[in-house]
Amino acid sequence: MSKKTLLILGALVLVVIVYAMNTGKQASGASATGCKVTVTADVLNARESADGNAKIVGKYLRDAQFDAMPGIQNGFRKVADDKWVAAAFTQPVAGSAC
């Protein structure tokens, strides 16, 4: 391969890597729901409904930050469709509308 072809391929790979690293990132403090929370427990289980006995569908580690829905139901905060976390183990991020 020629040097020109290698340079073009290298540039394309670099663009793809930069794009992949930035996909899904939001501006600091920005939240699609207006509510962003931080996990205060060592490990926080995400459940499929607002019930402490519901099936575990995910886990978050201490200091993880993610969008949530404003408001609490039965002590749980909704973070996605069929995904709830115990509100007692989350803290709204400063400036969040939770």
Side-chain angles (χ1 to χ4, degrees):
M1 277 198 238
S2 71
K3 283 186 179 183
K4 184 177 180 181
T5 303
L6 287 175
L7 285 174
I8 291 171
L9 286 174
L12 286 173
V13 169
L14 182 61
V15 167
V16 169
I17 290 171
V18 170
Y19 177 79
M21 290 175 58
N22 289 310
T23 299
K25 288 187 178 179
Q26 295 180 348
S28 179
S31 169
T33 63
C35 176
K36 190 169 192 169
V37 296
T38 302
V39 175
T40 60
D42 289 334
V43 177
L44 177 61
N45 291 328
R47 299 189 178 269
E48 70 179 353
S49 66
D51 178 351
N53 294 316
K55 178 182 173 185
I56 296 172
V57 294
K59 295 181 182 282
Y60 294 97
L61 299 178
R62 179 181 293 278
D63 297 325
Q65 290 189 353
F66 49 89
D67 289 344
M69 299 301 295
I72 296 171
Q73 178 181 330
N74 298 332
F76 286 80
R77 186 179 299 280
K78 187 174 184 177
V79 296
D81 287 340
D82 300 323
K83 197 170 191 180
W84 298 74
V85 296
F89 301 108
T90 62
Q91 178 69 40
V93 171
S96 242
C98 295

